[in-house]
Amino acid sequence: MTTSVVSMLRQPNRSMPEQLRAMAELLERQAGEGVEKDAYGKGALIEQFETEVAKLLNKPVSVFLPSGTLAQPLALRICADQKQNANVGVHPSSHLELHEQNGYQELWRLHGVLIGASDKPFTLTDLQRAHAQQPLAAVVWELPARELGGQLPDWHDLVVQTQWARQQGIWVHFDGARLWQCEAAYNRSLNEIAGLADSIYVSFYKDLGGIAGAMLLGPADFIESARVWARRAGGNLYSVYPYLLAAQLGMQENLESVASAVHYAKQLGQALARLPGVDVLPSPPQAAMFHLHIEADKADLEQAMSVYKQQHNIEVLQAPRASRQVNGGNIQIIEVPVGRNAMAKPVEFWQRHLQALLNSLPA
C-alpha cells in the first residue's frame, strides 16, 4: 500500500478519475442530468458562470477562455486597435515578457514597453517616464507578481497609478492570475480591487485547483470584441464544460481558503527565514506565495529533496525556479505557493522539515 505524500505545495490534488467523478457530482447537484453542454461559448452552463464571476469582480460582463496566454494579448490587441497605438507597458518580469515565447509581440503585433526595475513593482515615476518616452495604449499590472515572490504595490500607490493612467487615456489591465490573493493581502474586497481596472484576467487553476481555463472581464463592447478575437485565434472551442465544471468546483472548494493562505504564508515565511542559509523574498511575504533563496548547489539540493521525499513521504520544496551566484556562492530560488496543503500542518512542522532537509546537504 502506497503512503500518500505530505506536501507543502498548493491545493490537494485528486487523481484524474477522482477529479472527473467530483465534477460529475457537482453537475448533478447543480442542474441534474438534463443540463446541456455549452457550444461555442453559448448555453446556460457557461453563461451563468461568466455572469457569476463578472458579479464577483465588479465587471459588466466576462468571457471564459482556455488560457491566460490567449486572454491577455487578446485584451491588449483590442486596446491597441481602439487607440491606434501598439505600445503596451509591462513589467520586465511579466509573464507576457518571460514565458510566452514573445507571443504578444510576434503573433499579436504589439510593442512591449518595459516599465521599472526587474526586482520590484514599478512606481508612478516609472510609469510616467515610460509614457513620456513612448506613449502607451495600455499598461499591465500583475497582482501579485509571481517572479517577484508575490510582491504587490502599496494600495495607495496602486490607486494613484491607475487613476493617473486613466487620466492619460491609458487602458488599465490587471494580470490577475493570482488576484484571489489580493483581497486578504490588501484587506480590500475583490470588488474594490477589480474596480481599479478597465479589464482583468483571472486564472482558475493556479490557486483554485481547476484543470485549466481563464476569464477575461471588462465592458460589454470590449468583451464582444474579445469573443471575435477568440474565434479568430482558435480559442472559441466547440465545448469547454469539463474546464467550466473544474473551475466551479475549484472556486467552491478553495476560494474561501485563499485569505487564510495569505495569513499563513506570512507566518511561514517568517519562520523559514530564521533558518541558516535561507532568505525569504519578500520579507515578510505579502501574498499566499513567496520565494526562498537557499544557499546550496542546485544538483545537491535537488538530490536531497528527492531522497527526503522518498524517506519521509514529505515534499518540502519544489524544484528551483532559477539559480544565481552571489559572492562566489550558489543561490537557489524556490517558489513556495501556499494553499490548503501547507495549512494542513502547523508552521513549525515545515520549519522543522526544511531544517532537516538542509542538514542533509553535503558539507
Side-chain angles (χ1 to χ4, degrees), residues 15 36 122 139 179 190 206 307 336 350:
S15 68
E36 295 184 1
F122 56 74
V139 171
L179 189 76
L190 287 173
K206 294 178 176 67
V307 171
V336 179
W350 299 114

Side-chain angles (χ1 to χ4, degrees), residues 29 32-33 37 41 68 84 92 110 125 129 156 226 244 264 285 289-290 321:
R29 288 196 305 272
E33 295 183 3
K37 64 183 180 182
Q84 297 185 323
L110 298 164
T125 300
R129 183 180 297 116
H156 174 74
L244 288 170
Y264 184 95
M289 64 175 299
F290 54 88
R321 289 181 55 78

Side-chain angles (χ1 to χ4, degrees), residues 44-360:
L45 189 66
I46 190 169
E47 291 168 7
Q48 289 173 5
F49 187 52
E50 288 173 341
T51 299
E52 174 189 341
V53 177
K55 183 178 180 180
L56 179 66
L57 292 172
N58 193 29
K59 287 288 171 277
V61 286
S62 66
V63 57
F64 187 89
L65 295 169
S67 72
T69 304
L70 173 64
Q72 298 210 104
L74 180 156
L76 298 173
R77 179 70 261 170
I78 295 170
C79 301
D81 286 348
Q82 289 177 345
K83 299 177 184 299
Q84 297 185 323
N85 176 5
N87 293 336
V88 295
V90 298
H91 190 270
S93 73
S94 169
H95 196 277
L96 289 151
E97 184 68 20
L98 296 184
H99 300 300
E100 299 178 14
Q101 304 297 316
N102 207 31
Y104 79 113
Q105 300 197 83
E106 296 292 335
L107 181 62
W108 293 91
R109 298 307 179 198
L110 298 164
H111 176 246
V113 178
L114 301 185
I115 305 176
S118 61
D119 60 348
K120 58 185 177 181
F122 56 74
T123 65
L124 177 61
T125 300
D126 295 328
L127 180 57
Q128 291 171 331
R129 183 180 297 116
H131 185 58
Q133 293 173 350
Q134 299 185 73
L136 301 169
V139 171
V140 179
W141 282 259
E142 183 183 359
L143 305 173
R146 182 187 187 187
E147 298 297 329
L148 305 184
Q151 289 186 61
L152 288 158
D154 173 81
W155 173 254
H156 174 74
D157 291 347
L158 179 62
V159 171
V160 170
Q161 289 175 32
T162 55
Q163 287 178 343
W164 181 86
R166 282 178 161 174
Q167 289 167 0
Q168 311 311 308
I170 300 170
W171 187 269
V172 175
H173 176 78
F174 283 176
D175 174 347
R178 298 163 180 81
L179 189 76
W180 317 111
Q181 302 178 22
C182 292
E183 187 170 35
Y186 280 133
N187 195 27
R188 307 275 176 171
S189 70
L190 287 173
N191 245 272
E192 185 176 3
I193 296 165
L196 299 179
D198 295 305
S199 61
I200 303 171
Y201 141 70
V202 293
S203 171
F204 294 113
Y205 75 89
K206 294 178 176 67
D207 286 325
L208 303 182
I211 297 173
M215 198 76 87
L216 180 64
L217 306 97
D221 58 344
F222 171 84
I223 294 300
E224 190 58 37
S225 295
R227 293 184 185 276
V228 173
W229 274 104
R231 182 66 174 172
R232 289 170 176 162
N236 179 220
L237 306 184
Y238 171 60
S239 190
V240 295
Y241 68 91
Y243 302 112
L244 288 170
L245 293 170
Q248 288 179 302
L249 186 64
M251 290 188 73
Q252 289 183 14
E253 292 183 338
N254 295 315
L255 183 56
E256 190 174 327
S257 71
V258 174
S260 297
V262 172
H263 300 306
Y264 184 95
K266 294 179 180 182
Q267 298 172 31
L268 179 63
Q270 291 172 321
L272 299 185
R274 290 195 287 269
L275 299 179
V278 177
D279 289 320
V280 171
L281 179 74
S283 183
Q286 298 174 8
M289 64 175 299
F290 54 88
H291 285 178
L292 294 180
H293 289 205
I294 296 178
E295 189 176 342
D297 176 78
K298 182 179 180 181
D300 288 343
L301 181 59
E302 290 182 334
Q303 175 66 15
M305 289 161 53
S306 176
V307 171
Y308 199 88
K309 183 176 177 179
Q310 292 174 4
Q311 292 180 343
H312 303 280
N313 287 303
I314 297 174
E315 184 179 36
V316 184
L317 302 173
Q318 59 185 353
R321 289 181 55 78
S323 302
R324 66 178 185 177
Q325 283 203 331
V326 178
N327 299 324
N330 292 315
I331 302 296
Q332 307 309 318
I333 302 172
I334 299 172
E335 181 178 292
V336 179
V338 175
R340 289 194 293 128
N341 275 333
M343 292 190 291
K345 299 291 184 181
V347 164
E348 294 75 19
F349 175 90
W350 299 114
Q351 184 189 45
R352 183 172 70 254
H353 282 285
L354 178 56
Q355 180 67 81
L357 169 62
L358 298 179
N359 288 344
S360 72

